[in-house]
Amino acid sequence: MTKVSKDMIIGEIIQMDQGFIPILMEAGMHCLGCPSSQAESLEDAAMVHGLDADKLVADLNAYLESK
């Protein structure tokens, strides 16, 4: 099973599974439709939004494991 890492690009993450969108939105990333966000790494986007990238990775991977 592929896992999410904080160096992955937001666009890649969303392409992996559309179920990630609500998790990212709930965390505070409301700009997922913005073209620049699609090319940002999860770590960079987390930094811009003042979020903990490690927690986001854990939440996204927990979602994958629960499927």
Side-chain angles (χ1 to χ4, degrees), residues 8-31:
M8 292 178 75
I9 303 299
I10 298 281
E12 291 174 339
I13 293 170
I14 292 172
Q15 286 179 351
M16 280 176 60
D17 193 312
Q18 295 283 312
F20 289 140
I21 294 172
I23 298 167
L24 294 169
M25 296 280 286
E26 188 174 304
M29 290 189 183
H30 300 272
C31 58

Side-chain angles (χ1 to χ4, degrees), residues 17-20 23 58-67:
D17 193 312
Q18 295 283 312
F20 289 140
I23 298 167
D59 291 346
L60 295 171
N61 284 323
Y63 163 77
L64 280 179
E65 291 171 12
S66 73
K67 289 180 73 175

Side-chain angles (χ1 to χ4, degrees), residues 30-57:
H30 300 272
C31 58
L32 294 176
C34 172
S36 63
S37 75
Q38 296 293 304
E40 267 185 322
S41 71
L42 182 61
E43 184 172 35
D44 289 342
M47 181 185 67
V48 167
H49 290 88
L51 303 170
D52 181 348
D54 293 321
K55 181 178 179 342
L56 274 175
V57 168

